[in-house]
Amino acid sequence: MGSNPHRKLHVMFFPFMAYGHMIPTLDMAKLFSSRGAKSTILTTPLNSKILQKPIDTFKNLNPGLEIDIQIFDFPCVELGLPEGCENVDFFTSNNNDDRHYMTLKFFLSTRFFKDQLEKLLETTRPDCLIADMFFPWATEAAEKFNVPRLVFHGTGYFSLCSEYCIRVHNPQNTVASSCEPFVIPDLPGNIVITQAQIADRDDESEMGKFMIEVKESDVKSSGVIVNSFYELEPDYADF
């Protein structure tokens, strides 16, 4: 892109604010940087402090490689979240109902980032945005400025393929009870599970509607990045 042959490819990474999403995103950013790209991780003030030390260590060991942090505002209290609640892993309640409510509120609150992301994409024009699956609005934001948006799934091929086959075929509806085993149709490996092992899907609930947005965003995006490698699960990568 552009006429400068020496210009570095610039990739932006936008992880969901949870350790299980931030750690593999940081690994990805390091990998891209080690291949000569400029990597920028987008996050909030408190999460930037978690990421800064490993980034500094990486840069000290690899002088000349570019990996930086761009901080977005996330006013927790204004968004109805506890003060300083910038990460799902900061939630302290042991009450499952409270935790479920706060988690849903947290998911929906991240839409606050959309305007900030659009302003940054407009001024920076990176070559690619790798944004977390839980940021479905990022596809539309990137599209405005012709920036390819890849969806990062923190999980591997097996779970994505299993979820897809269950969603398409609904095999759980063919058994007489929640504990009766069945084979997941089309999925390699003759995987047997029960209805009780499948997460409840209520498409009319707030979380259900949000997950529909996530799936639609996947389809409209430029592609998906999976937290895996071919040799670990070749049958599911091929599928």
Side-chain angles (χ1 to χ4, degrees):
M1 295 175 69
S3 57
N4 183 356
H6 303 296
R7 178 185 166 278
K8 282 189 174 185
L9 194 75
H10 184 195
V11 182
M12 284 186 171
F13 299 85
F14 198 176
F16 183 66
M17 296 97 80
Y19 294 130
H21 294 247
M22 290 165 59
I23 292 169
T25 298
L26 177 59
D27 288 340
M28 258 198 301
K30 289 177 180 177
L31 192 61
F32 273 68
S33 293
S34 69
R35 297 294 192 275
K38 175 184 177 181
S39 297
T40 302
I41 300 176
L42 316 178
T43 194
T44 66
L46 290 179
N47 288 298
S48 72
K49 293 176 181 175
I50 296 167
L51 293 168
Q52 193 63 60
K53 187 175 179 182
I55 286 175
D56 288 344
T57 301
F58 174 76
K59 288 167 81 170
N60 288 337
L61 293 171
N62 302 276
L65 298 192
E66 285 194 76
I67 177 167
D68 297 301
I69 293 175
Q70 174 76 37
I71 296 175
F72 279 173
D73 186 33
F74 190 63
C76 298
V77 176
E78 285 178 37
L79 295 169
L81 298 165
E83 179 71 46
C85 196
E86 297 179 18
N87 188 308
V88 169
D89 294 304
F90 294 174
F91 293 171
T92 55
S93 175
N94 292 321
N95 183 304
N96 281 340
D97 288 341
D98 286 351
R99 194 171 180 83
H100 179 78
Y101 171 78
M102 289 303 298
T103 301
L104 175 59
K105 195 162 187 61
F106 191 87
F107 276 129
L108 300 179
S109 294
T110 63
R111 196 178 296 274
F112 180 80
F113 291 131
K114 189 180 180 194
D115 286 347
Q116 296 177 78
L117 178 61
E118 288 183 2
K119 286 186 176 73
L120 183 66
L121 293 176
E122 185 175 18
T123 55
T124 311
R125 301 293 174 121
D127 297 293
C128 181
L129 170 69
I130 300 176
D132 199 277
M133 60 179 286
F134 291 134
F135 299 151
W137 37 264
T139 296
E140 184 186 338
E143 198 173 40
K144 280 187 181 180
F145 306 103
N146 297 314
V147 174
R149 184 263 168 122
L150 299 179
V151 180
F152 175 59
H153 283 273
T155 184
Y157 289 115
F158 173 75
S159 59
L160 288 175
C161 294
S162 303
E163 194 273 338
Y164 171 79
C165 290
I166 290 169
R167 183 157 39 91
V168 168
H169 298 289
N170 290 302
Q172 69 277 20
N173 296 341
T174 64
V175 292
S177 73
S178 62
C179 55
E180 182 182 335
F182 58 86
V183 174
I184 301 177
D186 281 357
L187 188 70
N190 287 319
I191 305 301
V192 178
I193 63 169
T194 66
Q195 191 181 73
Q197 291 175 288
I198 300 174
D200 289 333
R201 290 206 324 265
D202 177 7
D203 290 346
E204 294 306 310
S205 69
E206 282 296 307
M207 183 58 89
K209 290 173 184 174
F210 177 74
M211 291 309 296
I212 288 171
E213 275 188 59
V214 168
K215 292 299 172 194
E216 289 174 348
S217 175
D218 268 15
V219 175
K220 293 174 184 172
S221 72
S222 299
V224 168
I225 291 189
V226 181
N227 189 18
S228 186
F229 55 96
Y230 186 81
E231 292 78 7
L232 179 67
E233 40 182 356
D235 289 348
Y236 302 104
D238 291 340
F239 180 82

